[in-house]
C-alpha cells in the first residue's frame, strides 16, 4: 500500500480527499499502484560505476530504452550496451501508464497517407502486430506482468454528445489501416451486453489491444537484458550528448551511438529539448472489487475500455480485480513538472472519480486506494517519429502522445535495426524520417507562453464540457445549450 493508500471498507471515502501524490517531477518518486506492485519483487542487480566506454549508450530506463536494448542484444550479442537511467527503471511514463498495450499509433492515418497505398495494409499490420509481439516476448521470457489480450471497447456511455466522438473514432480506425472500411458501431442493446455503463448509447470494439501492469513489464524486461549482458546504471543522469561521448553525473563515457529514450523528459537534454513537451495525465485505482461487484460492470473479457468523453479516458480491470481509470491531460506552464501542488493533483483525481462514477454508478462506494499522475511526451505534430542523425551518432524515437506501450516495442525493434544500419521492412515505415531531417519528425515547439495558451485553449473546453454534462444544478436545457457550444470547439484528444 502506498502512502496515499486506503484499503478501507467499501464505504471508505476516496483517498483523493487526503493530500495526494507524487508530483511526477524529475526526481519525484513513482507512487502508482504499479510501483506498489514492484515493491514485492527483488531489486534489479546494481552496477557499481559506469564504464569508460560502450558501443551503444541508451539514455532512459523506460520501455523505449529497454526494448531497444532487448532487440539489439539479440541481433548482435557482441555489442557492449549500457542503459543510463537518471532515477530507477520504470520511474517515467512506462511505470505509471494506464496499461493499454494498443496496436495503433497516434496520428496513424496521417502517417499512412505518406505511404504508397499498396504498402499501407502492411504498415497497419506491423503496428497492430506489435501487441502480439509484446505478448510473445512476455510469454517466452516469462515476465509476470498480467498481460491480458482482451481487446478494447470504446463506448458512448454517458451522454449523447459522445456518439459523435464514437463515429469519428470509428472513421479514424477505418482509415488507419489505409483502407476505407466501415467499422461497425454497436447498437445500445449490444453495447449494454458488453459493458453495464450508465447510458449505453453505442460502442466500437477493437481487437488489437491488451492490458498490462506496465511497471512489471518494464522491470521484467530490464532483468532480461541484464541477464544478456546489458549494463544498467540506475541513478546515472546524462547531462550532455556530444559526438562520440556522453557526459553523466558520474563521469564521461565514450560511445559509438547514442539512443536518447527520454520521451516526456526531453527537456533534460539540449539535443532533444523543445522537441517533445510533457503533458500530465492522471489516474485513479480502486481496491480489488468483490466478484459480485466485478460482474456488475460487464466487461467479461476484461476489455480495456474508454467512454468517449472529451477528457480522453482510459480504463482497465487488473488481474486482481481493480478498476484503473485515467484521463484528463494538462500542460504545466513551461513544461515545469514541479509547478503543481498536491492540492492541484488531488483536484484532478477527484474530478476523474466523478467521471468514473458517472460512467459506472455501481462504483460509487468502491474505495479508491491509489491516485497518481505522470507525463506523456507530446511532439509538435502530435505523432511519433524515429529520427537519425548519422553525423552525430544519434538514433532517437518517441513522441507517442498517449500510446507508447506497444509503440515502444515497435520503435525499439526499429531503432535496433537503424543502430546496426540494417535496411528492413521496419526502417522503411513512414514514422522513420530520413537521416538528418530531425525537424521532419520532431519540429521544435513554439516558445512559452504560446504553447501553454494553445494547449489550454484545447483542454479547457473539454473539462468545461464534462462539468456541464455532469452538473446536477444546471437545468437540462441550459446543459444542452452550453454543451452544444463547447462541443463545437476543438479539444485535445488522446
Ligand atoms: C499517466 C499515463 C498514462 C498512460 N497510459 C498509457 C496507456 O494506457 N497506453 C499506452 O500505450 N501509453 C500510455 N501512456 C504513454 C506511455 O506510458 C509512454 O508513451 C511510454 O511509456 C514511453 O516510454 P519511454 O521509455 O519512451 O519513456 P519513459 O517511460 O518516460 O522513460 C524515460 C526514462 O528516461 C529517464 N530519463 C529522463 N531524462 C534522463 C537523463 N537525462 N538521463 C538519464 N535518464 C533520463 C526517466 O527517468 C525515465 O525513466 C501513458 C503515460 C502516462 C504518463
Amino acid at each position: 500500500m502506498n502512502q496515499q493508500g486506503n484499503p478501507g471498507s467499501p464505504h471508505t471515502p476516496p483517498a483523493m480527499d487526503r493530500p495526494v501524490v507524487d508530483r511526477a517531477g524529475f526526481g519525484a518518486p513513482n507512487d502508482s499502484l504499479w510501483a506498489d506492485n514492484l515493491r514485492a519483487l527483488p531489486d534489479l542487480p546494481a552496477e557499481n560505476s559506469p564504464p569508460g566506454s560502450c558501443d551503444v549508450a541508451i539514455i532512459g530506463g523506460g520501455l523505449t530504452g529497454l526494448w531497444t536494448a532487448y532487440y539489439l542484444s539479440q541481433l548482435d550479442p557482441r555489442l557492449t550496451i549500457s542503459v543510463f537511467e537518471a532515477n530507477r527503471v520504470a520511474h517515467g511514463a512506462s511505470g505509471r501508464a494506464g496499461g493499454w498495450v494498443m496496436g495503433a499509433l497516434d496520428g496513424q492515418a496521417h502517417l499512412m497517407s505518406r505511404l504508397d497505398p499498396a504498402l499501407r495494409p502492411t504498415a497497419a499490420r506491423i503496428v497492430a502486430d506489435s501487441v502480439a509481439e509484446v505478448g510473445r516476448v512476455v510469454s517466452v521470457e516469462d515476465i509476470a506482468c498480467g498481460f491480458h489480450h482482451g481487446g478494447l471497447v470504446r463506448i458512448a456511455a454517458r451522454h449523447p454528445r459522445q456518439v459523435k466522438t464514437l463515429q469519428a473514432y470509428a472513421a479514424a480506425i477505418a482509415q488507419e489501416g489505409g483502407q476505407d472500411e466501415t467499422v461497425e458501431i454497436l447498437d445500445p442493446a449490444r453495447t449494454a451486453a458488453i459493458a453495464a455503463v450508465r447510458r449505453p448509447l453505442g460502442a466500437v470494439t477493437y481487437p488489437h489491444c491488451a492490458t498490462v501492469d506496465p511497471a512489471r513489464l518494464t522491470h521484467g524486461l530490464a532483468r532480461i537484458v541484464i541477464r544478456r549482458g546489458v549494463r544498467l546504471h540506475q541513478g546515472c543522469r546524462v547531462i550532455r550528448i556530444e559526438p562520440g561521448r556522453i557526459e553523466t553525473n558520474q563521469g564521461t563515457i565514450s560511445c559509438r551511438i547514442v539512443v536518447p529514450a527520454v520521451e516526456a523528459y526531453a527537456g533534460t537534454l539540449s539535443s532533444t529539448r523543445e522537441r517533445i513537451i510533457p503533458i500530465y495525465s492522471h489516474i485513479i485505482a480502486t481496491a480489488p472489487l468483490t466478484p459480485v461487484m466485478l460482474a456488475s460492470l460487464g466487461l467479461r473479457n476484461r476489455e480495456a475500455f474508454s467512454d468517449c468523453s472529451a477528457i480522453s479516458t482510459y480504463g482497465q480491470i487488473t488481474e486482481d480485480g481493480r478498476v484503473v481509470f485515467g484521463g484528463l491531460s494538462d500542460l504545466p506552464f513551461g513544461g515545469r513538472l514541479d509547478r503543481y501542488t498536491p492540492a492541484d493533483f488531488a483536484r484532478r483525481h477527484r474530478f476523474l472519480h466523478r467521471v468514473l462514477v458517472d460512467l459506472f454508478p455501481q462504483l460509487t462506494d468502491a474505495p479508491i486506494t491509489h491516485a497518481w499522475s505522470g507525463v506523456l511526451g507530446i511532439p509538435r505534430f502530435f505523432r511519433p517519429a524515429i529520427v537519425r542523425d548519422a553525423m552525430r551518432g544519434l538514433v532517437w524515437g518517441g513522441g507517442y502522445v498517449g500510446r507508447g506501450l506497444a509503440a515502444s516495442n515497435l520503435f525499439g525493434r526499429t531503432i535496433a535495426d537503424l543502430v546496426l544500419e540494417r535496411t528492413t521492412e521496419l526502417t522503411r515505415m513512414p514514422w522513420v524520417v530520413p537521416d538528418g531531417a530531425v525537424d521532419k519528425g520532431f519540429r521544435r515547439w513554439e516558445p512559452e507562453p504560446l504553447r501553454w495558451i494553445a494547449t489550454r485553449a484545447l483542454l479547457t473546453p473539454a473539462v468545461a464540457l464534462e462539468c456541464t454534462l455532469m452538473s446536477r444544478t444546471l437545468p437540462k436545457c441550459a446543459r444542452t445549450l452550453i454543451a452544444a457550444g463547447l462541443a463545437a470547439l476543438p479539444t485535445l484528444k488522446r
Side-chain angles (χ1 to χ4, degrees), residues 320-358:
D320 61 347
R322 299 166 185 268
V323 174
V324 168
F325 187 68
L328 195 62
S329 334
D330 56 352
L331 172 79
F333 185 82
R336 287 268 313 275
L337 300 183
D338 57 355
R339 280 193 95 88
Y340 288 175
T341 64
D344 292 329
F345 286 113
R347 241 192 337 273
R348 286 156 173 84
H349 296 135
R350 270 197 297 274
F351 183 74
L352 264 182
H353 185 244
R354 276 181 69 196
V355 176
L356 174 64
V357 166
D358 197 43

Side-chain angles (χ1 to χ4, degrees), residues 126-384:
I126 285 174
V127 176
D129 284 355
S130 49
V131 181
E133 172 61 7
V134 174
R136 186 191 68 77
V137 176
V138 161
S139 155
V140 168
E141 305 289 1
D142 201 15
I143 301 176
C145 59
F147 182 90
H148 170 74
H149 200 153
L152 163 70
V153 56
R154 268 191 206 263
I155 322 161
R158 294 166 43 236
H159 43 76
R161 295 260 137 230
Q162 294 179 327
V163 175
K164 276 205 172 133
T165 313
L166 190 65
Q167 286 161 347
Y169 173 69
I173 44 174
Q175 278 172 14
E176 280 171 2
Q179 291 155 337
D180 279 327
E181 290 168 8
T182 309
V183 174
E184 186 192 5
I185 298 187
L186 305 183
D187 63 27
R190 286 169 73 197
T191 303
I194 293 183
V197 291
R198 182 166 65 78
R199 206 168 166 193
L201 297 164
V204 166
T205 58
Y206 183 72
H208 307 293
C209 187
T211 51
V212 77
D213 168 340
R216 279 194 288 150
L217 172 61
T218 312
H219 197 267
L221 210 48
R223 191 169 289 284
I224 305 295
V225 299
I226 292 169
R227 214 181 286 152
R228 287 192 183 167
V230 172
R231 298 184 66 170
L232 171 69
H233 308 279
Q234 299 190 88
C236 189
R237 179 199 287 225
V238 176
I239 297 160
R240 193 166 298 113
I241 304 174
E242 282 170 12
R245 64 195 185 126
I246 56 170
E247 209 178 291
T248 76
N249 60 348
Q250 296 179 23
T252 300
I253 293 113
S254 56
C255 50
R256 214 158 40 78
I257 306 279
V258 182
V259 179
V262 294
E263 184 67 348
Y265 302 93
T268 62
L269 295 166
S270 58
S271 316
T272 54
R273 195 167 296 145
E274 306 296 330
R275 296 191 184 269
I276 297 184
I277 59 167
I279 280 200
Y280 272 115
S281 185
H282 310 278
I283 306 192
I284 56 175
T286 68
L289 303 178
T290 62
V292 173
M293 176 72 92
L294 268 179
S296 78
L297 302 177
L299 300 170
R300 265 187 288 277
N301 199 20
R302 279 181 50 213
E303 293 90 342
F305 64 91
S306 168
D307 79 329
C308 293
S309 82
I311 61 159
S312 306
T313 58
Y314 46 95
Q316 68 149 303
I317 297 174
T318 61
E319 260 180 317
D320 61 347
R322 299 166 185 268
V323 174
V324 168
F325 187 68
L328 195 62
S329 334
D330 56 352
L331 172 79
F333 185 82
R336 287 268 313 275
L337 300 183
D338 57 355
R339 280 193 95 88
Y340 288 175
T341 64
D344 292 329
F345 286 113
R347 241 192 337 273
R348 286 156 173 84
H349 296 135
R350 270 197 297 274
F351 183 74
L352 264 182
H353 185 244
R354 276 181 69 196
V355 176
L356 174 64
V357 166
D358 197 43
L359 173 62
F360 287 114
Q362 310 87 304
L363 293 176
T364 303
D365 290 330
I368 301 295
T369 58
H370 295 75
W372 70 95
S373 302
V375 278
L376 311 166
I378 313 283
R380 178 62 180 74
F381 297 129
F382 287 78
R383 46 181 185 263

Side-chain angles (χ1 to χ4, degrees), residues 99-145:
W100 285 15
V101 180
M102 189 173 174
L105 300 175
D106 253 84
Q108 184 165 322
H110 180 96
L111 288 163
M112 291 296 170
S113 70
R114 290 184 191 163
L115 269 183
D116 180 332
L119 296 176
R120 289 177 197 167
T122 306
R125 176 189 48 75
I126 285 174
V127 176
D129 284 355
S130 49
V131 181
E133 172 61 7
V134 174
R136 186 191 68 77
V137 176
V138 161
S139 155
V140 168
E141 305 289 1
D142 201 15
I143 301 176
C145 59

